[in-house]
Amino acid sequence: MLQKEEIRRDNINDTFSNFKVELWRYQGERGALIPLLQSAQETYGYIPESAIDHISEIVGIPSAEIYGVITFYSQFRLKPMGKNIIRICDGTACHVNASTAILKTITDELQIDSNETTEDGLFTLQTVACLGCCSLSPVIMINDETYGRLTPKKVQQLLDEYRNADGNGG
Amino acid sequence: MKTIKVGLGTCGVSAGAQKTYEAIKNEIELQNIQAVLKETGCNGMCYREPLVEVTDEQKNSFVYGEVTPEKAKTIMNSHVLADKPVAEWLVQSTRPSEDDTFFKKQNRIVLRNCGIIDPNSITEYVATGGYEAIQKVLNGYTPEQVIDVITRSGLRGRGGGGFLSGVKWKFCRDATGDRKYIICNADEGDPGAFMDRSTLESDPHSVLEGMMICAYAIGAEEGYIYARAEYPKAVARLKHSIREALARGFLGKNIFGSPVNFSVKIKEGAGAFVCGEETALIASIEGKRGMPRFRPPFPANKGLWGKPTNINNVETYANVPWIIMNGPEAFAAFGTDNSKGTKVFALAGKIQRGGLAEVPMGITINEIVFDIGGGIKEGKKFKAVQMGGPSGGCIPASMGDLQIDYQQINQTGAIMGSGGLVVMDESTCMVDMAKFFLRFTQDESCGKCTFCRIGTKRMLEVLERITDGNGKEGDIELLRHLAYEIKNNTICGLGQTAPNPVLTTLKYFPEEYEAHIREKRCPAHSCSALLTYSIKADACKGCMACAKACPAEAITGEKKKAHEINTAVCIKCGKCLETCKFNAVIKN
């Protein structure tokens, strides 16, 4: 279990992670499990086993039950993610406006299927139900940016942009 | 001084509005222009994003559509500096424009401030009369009177169920419990619906104010907003708004100097459609797997942490302050006998003008699709609208004169749902649509009820086999049988409504199922397994473009001679059709 002193010291050194702060703030309030898992995922990009054990000790919920919660929600990952997370929308409006062609372009281009990560660790692809940008369909989200009115060509350009950004150290 | 507003909702940003905003900011700094630059939400004209509004010294408003950074520069130089509006890019101004019809049949209550005020500024919300309704209530209404006003207005829950909000509030008010909670359901999960996202992004305070009024009426001191993980911008604006309201004493202890306490917390969802169901949502806030439970007891008696809890969605709460200020009669003046007020619809799919439209209940489908939505894209034929998301159904174009209210929509087999309205044209295959929704509900089924967990899987398998060209006689009957069992043997809304997309398409488009099963043909030319591609010899110029594009090397032919597709090798990806500039490739 994380010692409060240790976290405070980290705090002073300004090297503490979001996750540790959340753990430190936790004071036994009810219903904190999901926010704690969310901040663990934000810190590590996924939920590592060690984080589950930490959380289990602190909130007093058995690890097995925490696994149950993690696997119930589509947001949570138990495996590391790529540097950029592509979420392709396959909601009704996107589906009607040929999101399958966009998905195919991405899977062809990156040589991965949905829920997979590229070998170089640059991209993880996820299919989601609806991003709520139906009027601009088809839509994808890369990290927290949403891109609309896409065509296969535009998607290729976008992927190139992200690849180049990485090449330049971005 | 002129004011320039840029719509920075998610829809605007994904169309490039952030770059437009930066370009205007740059221009102001470079040329030292005396103008105020502001950000605002979405006015509903998503099809024209990015939108920029210039308000001149005489308070005349000029809205420009599809403003790229380059266009923004021109607008700054011509309009803002030289007082010459750029007429050809205007979509709304003092002069008539073709886009005026988008607003003509709308009545805006929920969207009253959307695209007008800066959502990050509590001052602007207050300046438009914001937070007056809660003060009116605190100063002169008993909780019972508030409930009476809401009941008389006829407001029904806008999340899909359509239960009378006032009655729901009364149940919770009358329930015994030392603590009570209210929850705002912002887990807008229906694919095709985005009005709650837009409302939260464009006018978050109206939702907070609605929640405050409800909390007072019920006697709750704590509220939760359960927001979707996919809406980062909405969550960020809400957090900011809550901080602002706290700083002014509108939230917290003794709000507005009254003896009433009220605080709001945001809970971010973690991605589960079933959490839109109220008992599942409560389980999720409690930090558990979001699985629905049997009702009764209803949340009004036994909700969050076992205490009486009222749940309404974003749009419902956003109506409340308006009703308090304008009176229940004014609200009930809109709509039909059983459905009062207005409803926000999210128009999407094969429609010319995709966006948000708030219309009085009782308007017809045709009025929404044609008068507001501008008809179908690319001049194609209107085939159907899908209403109510995965719980709803497809209503055929032949029923376009149907009035939209809770009762009439239910009679078709669809539901009002949260108001997603996805328009389909002749190229949409209805069997594929049904399969699409079934895959969704199958995926999102929490697994508690056997009939939902396994039944939807079996239905999906039948639909997959039909669209793959392997459908059998008896499949339609089998689908109906499974649908009946699922509807009657599941405990929550997800399962009970999961078969609706299949049932409505079977009801209105049986011939499409039959064509797939008996003739192995997809009338909409959409199901790829049932398609063949060929090249019209007389239209082909022999440019070789398709042959180069073909990933399977299925196209043969010499330069300047007609090409051919080897159907045995063709993988039906459609690249040749996309590539051909002479429309020589055809789908059969």
Side-chain angles (χ1 to χ4, degrees):
Chain A
M1 183 174 155
L2 282 163
Q3 297 299 313
K4 281 195 177 168
E5 315 318 308
E6 185 194 323
I7 299 160
R8 286 210 186 95
R9 203 169 47 242
D10 279 356
N11 195 340
I12 294 160
N13 295 337
D14 210 29
T15 54
F16 63 91
S17 64
N18 183 30
F19 174 49
K20 286 181 182 169
V21 174
E22 285 291 327
L23 284 179
W24 178 65
R25 271 202 210 134
Y26 172 74
Q27 290 178 341
E29 61 268 33
R30 291 180 296 182
L33 178 58
I34 290 172
L36 286 174
L37 290 171
Q38 282 166 334
S39 62
Q41 178 150 301
E42 208 162 286
T43 309
Y44 301 105
Y46 72 111
I47 303 173
E49 217 175 305
S50 56
I52 298 175
D53 294 340
H54 274 319
I55 294 173
S56 171
E57 274 185 54
I58 287 180
V59 298
I61 297 172
S63 299
E65 215 179 306
I66 298 181
Y67 271 104
V69 172
I70 291 172
T71 51
F72 184 83
Y73 296 98
S74 61
Q75 187 192 24
F76 295 131
R77 304 279 141 190
L78 289 162
K79 278 191 276 183
M81 306 272 270
K83 191 172 164 194
N84 298 297
I85 296 155
I86 304 176
R87 293 199 260 188
I88 172 159
C89 180
D90 191 28
T92 323
C94 288
H95 188 76
V96 171
N97 283 324
S99 59
T100 38
I102 306 293
L103 178 66
K104 203 173 171 305
T105 311
I106 300 176
T107 51
D108 284 356
E109 188 79 7
L110 301 179
Q111 294 291 315
I112 51 168
D113 273 328
S114 200
N115 287 324
E116 289 181 359
T117 303
T118 52
E119 262 178 36
D120 58 8
L122 202 53
F123 296 103
T124 296
L125 179 62
Q126 296 179 339
T127 310
V128 297
C130 185
L131 293 171
C133 279
C134 313
S135 49
L136 297 173
S137 57
V139 176
I140 67 169
M141 207 166 159
I142 304 184
N143 305 328
D144 271 351
E145 289 293 317
T146 317
Y147 301 92
R149 290 181 191 143
L150 292 172
T151 59
K153 219 178 200 156
K154 277 197 208 163
V155 171
Q156 268 167 357
Q157 285 168 355
L158 261 178
L159 293 177
D160 285 341
E161 274 175 39
Y162 276 85
R163 281 192 185 119
N164 291 340
D166 186 67
N168 300 333
Chain B
M1 206 175 349
K2 291 189 180 68
T3 308
I4 302 147
K5 284 191 233 171
V6 183
L8 290 179
T10 298
C11 41
V13 172
S14 47
Q18 193 67 46
K19 284 182 190 149
T20 305
Y21 182 87
E22 299 301 329
I24 295 173
K25 203 172 147 200
N26 263 340
E27 214 52 29
I28 289 181
E29 281 165 14
L30 267 174
Q31 303 197 48
N32 196 17
I33 300 172
Q34 295 302 306
V36 185
L37 176 61
K38 279 185 183 173
E39 104 175 47
T40 181
C42 170
N43 78 352
M45 296 170 94
C46 306
Y47 63 102
R48 287 289 197 197
E49 296 280 7
L51 290 161
V52 172
E53 182 184 2
V54 177
T55 311
D56 66 16
E57 290 78 358
Q58 291 77 42
K59 301 271 177 246
N60 293 318
S61 148
F62 300 82
V63 182
Y64 292 96
E66 289 148 52
V67 185
T68 57
E70 294 74 39
K71 283 185 182 174
K73 265 190 190 172
T74 313
I75 293 167
M76 291 304 289
N77 286 317
S78 166
H79 190 169
V80 179
L81 282 176
D83 281 317
K84 283 194 201 106
V86 191
E88 68 261 40
W89 300 334
L90 279 173
V91 293
Q92 220 193 350
S93 66
T94 44
R95 271 183 289 176
S97 124
E98 55 165 314
D99 289 274
D100 290 345
T101 49
F102 181 75
F103 290 100
K104 209 172 158 197
K105 293 199 167 170
Q106 295 199 44
N107 288 94
R108 296 196 154 202
I109 293 176
V110 173
L111 304 179
R112 58 192 178 274
N113 293 322
C114 294
I116 296 168
I117 63 167
D118 178 353
N120 291 316
S121 161
I122 194 169
T123 318
E124 288 203 11
Y125 180 69
V126 169
T128 59
Y131 290 117
E132 275 174 28
I134 176 68
Q135 296 185 64
K136 184 173 171 185
V137 161
L138 290 173
N139 293 329
Y141 285 60
T142 63
E144 287 74 16
Q145 282 171 324
V146 177
I147 291 172
D148 179 57
V149 169
I150 299 302
T151 309
R152 279 194 290 131
S153 76
L155 175 66
R156 296 168 67 154
R158 296 293 191 238
F163 195 76
L164 274 170
S165 304
V167 175
K168 198 172 183 179
W169 290 16
K170 190 169 175 353
F171 285 151
C172 195
R173 170 93 207 153
D174 293 346
T176 43
D178 50 344
R179 260 170 190 236
K180 291 178 185 177
Y181 296 98
I182 67 162
I183 296 173
C184 172
N185 183 350
D187 189 47
E188 186 176 51
D190 280 4
F194 52 94
M195 62 288 287
D196 288 353
R197 169 185 65 68
S198 195
T199 307
L200 290 173
E201 285 177 359
S202 309
D203 193 16
H205 287 288
S206 70
V207 181
L208 289 180
E209 188 177 3
M211 287 179 75
M212 290 175 190
I213 296 167
C214 173
Y216 171 73
I218 283 161
E221 295 199 341
E222 279 174 77
Y224 286 90
I225 301 174
Y226 187 84
R228 268 190 100 193
E230 284 87 349
Y231 290 174
K233 200 162 197 136
V235 170
R237 292 214 172 136
L238 267 175
K239 283 185 177 161
H240 176 79
S241 304
I242 291 173
R243 276 197 299 272
E244 279 187 310
L246 270 170
R248 292 209 178 192
F250 295 179
L251 279 173
K253 288 226 176 307
N254 306 109
I255 59 172
F256 298 95
S258 73
V260 177
N261 306 325
F262 184 59
S263 63
V264 177
K265 283 199 188 99
I266 298 174
K267 284 272 176 181
E268 285 178 64
F273 173 71
V274 72
C275 289
E277 199 278 342
E278 51 187 21
T279 57
L281 190 154
I282 287 171
S284 183
I285 292 182
E286 290 174 350
K288 301 180 200 142
R289 288 164 71 95
M291 289 166 93
R293 62 160 174 79
F294 192 75
R295 297 178 301 178
F298 287 92
N301 291 307
K302 235 175 155 182
L304 188 61
W305 320 117
K307 306 288 181 197
T309 303
N310 179 68
I311 305 184
N312 285 121
N313 84 332
V314 171
E315 191 183 339
T316 315
Y317 283 123
N319 272 302
V320 169
W322 191 95
I323 294 170
I324 297 290
M325 291 314 291
N326 297 276
E329 295 78 17
F331 187 80
F334 295 112
T336 63
D337 280 349
N338 67 70
S339 308
K340 302 295 183 195
T342 59
K343 175 81 194 83
V344 185
F345 287 99
L347 312 183
K350 301 286 178 80
I351 196 163
Q352 288 270 8
R353 301 170 176 169
L356 286 182
E358 183 171 356
V359 290
M361 294 274 191
I363 194 168
T364 68
I365 292 174
N366 277 340
E367 281 178 281
I368 294 190
V369 173
F370 293 99
D371 298 347
I372 296 173
I376 309 299
K377 271 186 197 169
E378 294 159 22
K380 287 196 178 150
K381 222 174 114 199
F382 174 37
K383 184 171 182 178
V385 285
Q386 208 285 340
M387 286 186 72
S391 308
C394 293
I395 302 173
S398 59
M399 295 173 80
D401 287 325
L402 188 84
Q403 276 193 313
I404 294 182
D405 73 10
Y406 286 97
Q407 221 160 17
Q408 299 196 44
I409 296 295
N410 284 350
Q411 278 166 4
T412 66
I415 61 163
M416 180 83 78
S418 54
L421 213 150
V422 181
V423 178
M424 289 152 196
D425 68 14
E426 54 201 320
S427 66
T428 315
C429 169
M430 302 317 274
V431 187
D432 178 66
M433 244 13 261
K435 182 177 79 174
F436 166 80
F437 283 115
L438 244 284
R439 184 174 294 143
F440 179 85
T441 34
Q442 209 301 296
D443 214 39
E444 295 292 344
S445 168
C446 78
K448 187 169 186 167
C449 305
T450 316
F451 284 85
C452 177
R453 184 180 68 242
I454 300 171
T456 54
K457 180 87 182 158
R458 293 289 96 87
M459 281 183 89
L460 179 61
E461 284 166 1
V462 174
L463 290 166
E464 278 173 346
R465 133 171 127 218
I466 294 175
T467 52
D468 283 346
N470 300 318
K472 295 186 288 203
E473 282 302 322
D475 274 351
I476 293 179
E477 292 71 21
L478 180 58
L479 282 174
R480 283 217 171 92
H481 174 67
L482 285 167
Y484 177 84
E485 296 295 346
I486 295 169
K487 263 181 165 309
N488 290 294
N489 293 292
T490 45
I491 64 163
C492 87
L494 187 142
Q496 287 157 2
T497 59
N500 284 350
V502 178
L503 290 174
T504 52
T505 47
L506 271 174
K507 184 172 169 189
Y508 299 115
F509 302 94
E511 68 286 353
E512 289 203 24
Y513 282 84
E514 283 156 13
H516 280 78
I517 295 172
R518 297 200 183 124
E519 302 160 37
K520 311 296 174 203
R521 182 172 67 82
C522 173
H525 303 299
S526 157
C527 295
S528 61
L530 302 178
L531 285 180
T532 51
Y533 287 87
S534 59
I535 295 173
K536 270 193 290 184
D538 51 341
C540 177
K541 306 271 188 227
C543 72
M544 313 267 309
C546 60
K548 275 186 210 144
C550 178
E553 297 182 356
I555 301 177
T556 50
E558 290 168 36
K559 249 188 184 171
K560 301 204 173 163
K561 281 187 188 161
H563 296 0
E564 259 180 58
I565 298 176
N566 180 353
T567 45
V569 184
C570 173
I571 56 164
K572 299 167 183 178
C573 67
K575 280 249 162 72
C576 47
L577 184 79
E578 269 171 46
T579 316
C580 183
K581 288 179 191 151
F582 310 104
N583 296 324
V585 181
I586 42 171
K587 274 202 273 191
N588 302 306

